[in-house]
Amino acid sequence: MNKQSPTHDIPPHVWERPIGLHWERPYTVRYASNLDDGPWHGVPLGGFGAGCIGRSPRGDFNLWHLDSGEHIFQNLPACQFSIFEEANGLRQTYALSTEPPTDGTLSSWKWYPKSSDRSTGTYSALYPRSWFVYENVFRSQLSCEQFSPIWAGNYQESSYPLAIFEWIAHNPTDAPITLNIMLTWENIMGWFTNSVKTPKVEVRDDGTPVYEYKPRWGESGGNFNRLVNDYHRTGIVMSQLRLGDEVNQGEGQMAIATFSNAAVEVSYNTRWNPAGNGENIWEYFSRSGILLDQQDETPASEGERIGAALSVRFTLRPGKTRKIPFFLAWDLPVVEFAEGVWYYRRYTDFYGRNAQNVWSMVRTAMKHYDTWRENVKAWQEPILQREDLPGWFKMALFNELYDLTSGGTLWSAGDERDPKGQFAVLECLDYRWYESLDVRLYGSFALLMLWPELEKSVLLAFARAISAADDTPRVIGYDRSSAARKVAGATPHDLGAPNEHPWEMTNYTSYQDCNLWKDLPSDFVLLVYRDFLLTGAEDFEFLWDCWPAVVETLDYLKGFDLDGDGIPENSGAPDQTFDDWKMRGVSAYCGGLWLAALSAAIAIGKVLMENPRQKPFYPAEDARLDDDATSTTEGIGDRIAAYEGWLESGLPVYQEKLWNGEYYNLDSESGSRVVMADQLCGQFYSRLLDLPDIVPPERALSAVKTVYNACFQNFYDGKFGAANGLLPDGSPANIKDTHPLEVWIGINFGLAAFMVQVGMKEEGFELAGAAVAQVYENGLQFRTPEAITATGTFRASHYLRAMAIWAIYLSINGNKSR
């Protein structure tokens, strides 16, 4: 349903929800230790790595990711839009959230009625834009569009900590209507930093590490607000007293602003109590539709909280329409991890680093927001207008990008080594470590296709980490054994966590000993070649930078080929991305990725032989890389010959040990007859990268059809998507299994992309559509989980892998990223 009215222009194929309408039976979390904030999530506001703020379909601002990597989900009632309307002598005033405070604060305010027996409006979302359309309450027609300046290929504005709110008011009656739109905001400077500077790390009941995080929520002592009148711009800057010039995490400024001109009356209050009953704001505003222009820069005392308010009053003649924009910006330039380990955010490359630049951002937004919106539309419209794509697919394609804003995202300031900075997104909020490689094998397609320079920066971080070693012993959560944190040559599982030193201290997770995983080195090699090939096949320096790590990690993984047959064996432990699922011997999943990675490494080597390095090579601290002649064309031929030998040996072994005439067995030694949904991920990547098939095409098609029937159609008649592993008749091999009986959203998208690739486009859309429906019809929107179950539970929300939906789009386009 896509309504149109004189007050707004919402594109087709958005996600919609009646304002404030409750879900009858939203999905609930599977494990008590996992995060479950409930279904009230909407499009996040803010640029990549700048911290973000979320506003839900009930109108409340409730998601606060202003301390990168950390999660706070809490309604802050004072942060809100309110509407005063006077028509035909009748006045009504509402704060535009359907969720009144439960702690007694702002008790004098009147809150917007939620949709129940009648609709009071609709929330629509198409990331990075969203809309509120208000109905059946006001005489005027009102809508508000909100967005941040994010569009494909942009590496500047996409980092800005900004949100634009454009109101459109229309008078459909035959009498004048007076309106006042008010934005109130609490001064929250200083809240978003961990008060525990050396948090203790513990292992929780699911075997994963967790650390203590206590933000300074509500600690506003020293905060103050200042009115700014700047020609036709009026706003309030919210700051805090600082003892020195050095900027710490959580310190900075925030601002709300709007335009002032002769057609409107702007009024303000720079200091009011958001922790009280709100009467000093509401009484006069609701009676007269104006604020009293009160200025007070007195800093808050200890235990006191202060807010700001800005309103725009105007009268609409019959049939007239007016646009009223508001702007929200924040300048928090420092993100800190372990004590003393910090980075500047990417946006500081354009606005400075002294935490005094929020008004400069406001001025930029006021000048360019219309152009920014047109850039967003120009990026999205060609996809939205495609008639060969289902509407639900176009909706989810863009909305699943939400995680690039709200996934605890890091984007550091640029330097000589990384001119566009370093980038990272959490695996999820439950597994709080960055860029898990096994997950991003699927979830990184969006970054590759839309912001390829950021994608390459992640791969370069992995390349730099492979030769590093960290002998620190750790308890492995899965079986309580002990293992070194990082073995030299092993591809790390992740790029670290928000409580340590991301990009430098890797392999944070300790649920499994990831040094023993059999998929990570192959994942790395495949992603390196993918990122080179699908971004024009001209970035030879990127390949040269990654080649030493490719050589080292393939040698490391070959060490697990204990019988010398050309394929490393799985150990009988969960030693791959399905880390609760045991595989023994040659496995279809890891073995296929290995064979595809060998082909990719051969292709990389040949490219480097034809394109000698153009700039001097400065080896890493580990001089072995230079000794191995990986920095020049010398020795590459030998590596190619070795990989060709391993590949020639491994290809027939894969067929002989795994093919059963219908599909590929899970592994060669367990005797399992389970149909694994993702058994041929290696073949998918081989086709994607125009490499030789690792299995005959007719066998690949047979296997995919078997997966479609067993794991999808025979699993609750295809309602939920494809489960990870079932017997051919759709029954479980073991009813107590965990991962095999879960539907992984990102894996379903990857499988759908494979189906499109082998000519099963209709079936692929059917599968992906089922997964999308489960997310967007059951309160999981903008917190897409890793896994759902047939009992209406989920695990691991805000999950990186779900951006694999862009792999479907890539397959439809014939492997063309644009």
Side-chain angles (χ1 to χ4, degrees), residues 309-498:
L310 189 66
S311 77
V312 179
R313 178 185 168 102
F314 55 97
T315 297
L316 286 175
R317 291 178 293 165
K320 296 299 182 181
T321 300
R322 182 172 294 280
K323 294 182 179 181
I324 303 292
F326 283 83
F327 303 86
L328 172 68
W330 55 96
D331 182 12
L332 300 167
V334 171
V335 54
E336 184 180 46
F337 306 109
E339 187 172 12
V341 178
W342 54 271
Y343 287 79
Y344 288 114
R345 300 183 196 258
R346 165 65 170 171
Y347 78 86
T348 65
D349 286 340
F350 314 107
Y351 283 102
R353 299 170 179 176
N354 64 0
Q356 301 291 316
N357 298 293
V358 74
W359 194 251
S360 294
M361 294 185 218
V362 167
R363 294 180 66 174
T364 300
M366 288 182 162
K367 182 177 181 180
H368 297 292
Y369 76 97
D370 275 330
T371 300
W372 292 344
R373 177 170 44 207
E374 291 306 309
N375 289 338
V376 175
K377 292 168 67 175
W379 158 44
Q380 294 184 333
E381 281 180 356
I383 295 176
L384 296 176
Q385 291 172 359
R386 286 185 58 165
E387 296 182 358
D388 61 325
L389 302 177
W392 60 261
F393 177 74
K394 291 182 275 193
M395 177 278 294
L397 193 68
F398 288 110
N399 280 333
E400 287 303 320
L401 297 174
Y402 81 94
D403 200 47
L404 294 174
T405 291
S406 65
T409 312
L410 303 178
W411 191 359
S412 70
D415 57 24
E416 185 175 354
R417 185 185 70 170
D418 299 290
K420 289 185 172 64
Q422 291 186 276
F423 187 83
V425 176
L426 293 174
E427 178 175 335
C428 69
L429 295 176
D430 287 299
Y431 314 146
R432 201 175 304 178
W433 37 85
Y434 283 103
E435 292 293 349
S436 300
L437 190 66
D438 58 312
V439 176
R440 75 182 324 277
L441 181 71
Y442 307 82
S444 62
F445 278 93
L447 206 61
L448 164 72
M449 297 168 68
L450 304 174
W451 292 275
E453 294 304 312
L454 299 184
E455 165 61 21
K456 289 178 184 177
S457 79
V458 176
L459 266 294
L460 288 171
F462 275 100
R464 294 161 186 160
I466 283 173
S467 64
D470 184 344
D471 295 331
T472 304
R474 296 190 300 171
V475 174
I476 301 303
Y478 177 75
D479 59 8
R480 313 305 295 180
S481 63
S482 179
R485 175 165 177 162
K486 171 67 171 65
V487 175
T491 297
H493 170 272
D494 55 76
L495 293 177

Side-chain angles (χ1 to χ4, degrees), residues 561-815:
D561 179 14
L562 302 182
D563 60 6
D565 67 356
I567 302 181
E569 289 84 36
N570 291 81
S571 66
D575 52 2
Q576 27 63 43
T577 191
F578 302 92
D579 55 2
D580 258 347
W581 198 355
K582 297 178 181 179
M583 300 176 189
R584 182 177 295 278
V586 174
S587 72
Y589 182 73
C590 295
L593 289 172
W594 163 255
L595 296 173
L598 290 178
S599 287
I602 293 167
I604 292 171
K606 290 179 178 179
V607 170
L608 297 182
M609 292 281 285
E610 296 173 358
N611 297 274
R613 196 175 185 106
Q614 297 300 309
K615 67 180 182 181
F617 175 72
Y618 299 97
E621 288 81 357
D622 189 344
R624 292 176 303 160
L625 299 181
D626 194 42
D627 293 341
D628 287 341
T630 55
S631 63
T632 68
T633 56
E634 180 184 353
I636 293 180
D638 293 338
R639 301 313 307 169
I640 293 174
Y643 302 150
E644 288 175 335
W646 298 349
L647 183 62
E648 183 179 5
S649 174
L651 283 170
V653 169
Y654 190 84
Q655 300 300 318
E656 293 163 7
K657 290 190 174 183
L658 298 175
W659 177 247
N660 65 20
E662 186 179 0
Y663 59 94
Y664 288 86
N665 289 332
L666 177 71
D667 58 37
S668 62
E669 296 183 14
S670 71
S672 173
R673 298 295 293 175
V674 161
V675 179
M676 183 185 188
D678 204 24
Q679 59 187 265
L680 288 182
C681 187
Q683 171 67 6
F684 167 71
Y685 258 88
S686 292
R687 280 288 187 93
L688 177 75
L689 304 181
D690 295 323
L691 298 170
D693 290 320
I694 64 169
V695 301
E698 65 275 10
R699 291 186 177 183
L701 184 60
S702 174
V704 173
K705 288 181 177 179
T706 303
V707 168
Y708 173 79
N709 290 323
C711 299
F712 177 49
Q713 292 283 34
N714 293 343
F715 183 68
Y716 293 91
D717 297 321
K719 175 182 178 182
F720 295 95
N724 283 324
L726 298 171
L727 295 174
D729 64 358
S731 63
N734 183 342
I735 198 169
K736 295 183 179 180
D737 280 341
T738 53
H739 289 181
L741 303 185
E742 290 180 328
V743 173
W744 288 13
I745 303 300
I747 294 294
N748 272 244
F749 291 156
L751 181 57
F754 190 23
M755 289 180 173
V756 172
Q757 190 185 77
V758 300
M760 296 174 60
K761 180 178 178 180
E762 182 177 345
E763 294 87 345
F765 272 134
E766 183 185 4
L767 174 67
V772 166
Q774 289 301 311
V775 171
Y776 287 90
E777 294 176 7
N778 292 287
L780 296 174
Q781 76 291 334
F782 306 108
R783 56 169 185 154
T784 306
E786 162 77 316
I788 61 172
T789 70
T791 59
T793 64
F794 72 91
R795 177 175 59 81
S797 60
H798 303 259
Y799 207 75
L800 169 62
R801 194 174 342 230
M803 282 187 286
I805 193 170
W806 281 85
I808 304 174
Y809 186 64
L810 184 64
S811 292
I812 291 169
N813 285 349
N815 296 353

Side-chain angles (χ1 to χ4, degrees), residues 242-257:
R242 296 208 315 265
L243 296 178
D245 293 333
E246 183 176 344
V247 180
N248 298 309
Q249 177 170 268
E251 295 180 342
Q253 297 179 325
M254 187 168 265
I256 55 176

